[in-house]
Amino acid sequence: MHELGITRNVVAIASEAARGRRVLRVTLEVGKLAGVMTEAIRFCFDTVAQGTALDGAELEIREIDGRARCLSCGAVFATPTLYTPCGCGSRASERLAGEELNIKSIELEEAA
């Protein structure tokens, strides 16, 4: 389960960015084609965050749909799988969205 490692990295990055302040919320963007189980990240988050600046923080995960541009006809189309062909039948495409795994934002407690 690589989601545990991903969750540990998210907590480490957010803790470092917080610079001693308490983290209230972390927002992740996870592409539906990224090969990451978002529910596993949710499951691990509270445990991994214990004793860190993220202890008690809210985790928001925004799932990003897959989109691609056809290299044959130029159409932009939805790609629910990595192998979805364009409406014209071509499988030659450039991925535009859906493989993301980003920390979009970190909300911190106000400095005293």
Side-chain angles (χ1 to χ4, degrees):
M1 175 162 82
H2 69 285
E3 286 79 1
L4 177 58
I6 291 168
T7 306
R8 286 180 175 153
N9 286 334
V10 166
V11 168
I13 291 166
S15 292
E16 184 177 323
R19 296 187 176 143
R21 293 181 14 199
R22 187 168 160 267
V23 176
L24 302 175
R25 175 195 313 248
V26 176
T27 303
L28 299 181
E29 288 182 333
V30 180
K32 290 183 178 180
L33 305 176
V36 175
M37 296 174 56
T38 57
E39 289 309 310
I41 291 175
R42 286 184 208 284
F43 179 79
C44 296
F45 184 77
D46 289 337
T47 301
V48 172
Q50 284 181 353
T52 72
L54 283 79
D55 201 344
E58 179 184 342
L59 175 64
E60 178 182 350
I61 298 177
R62 297 178 185 165
E63 291 190 83
I64 308 297
D65 291 329
R67 286 186 305 114
R69 177 177 294 114
C70 179
L71 298 177
S72 296
C73 72
V76 173
F77 60 99
T79 56
T81 71
L82 290 171
Y83 307 107
T84 303
C86 176
C88 74
S90 174
R91 292 191 185 274
S93 63
E94 169 189 18
R95 183 90 42 234
L96 301 175
E99 296 179 312
E100 299 86 344
L101 180 53
N102 301 316
I103 298 175
K104 183 65 176 175
S105 66
I106 302 168
E107 184 180 323
L108 302 174
E109 187 172 63
E110 289 293 321

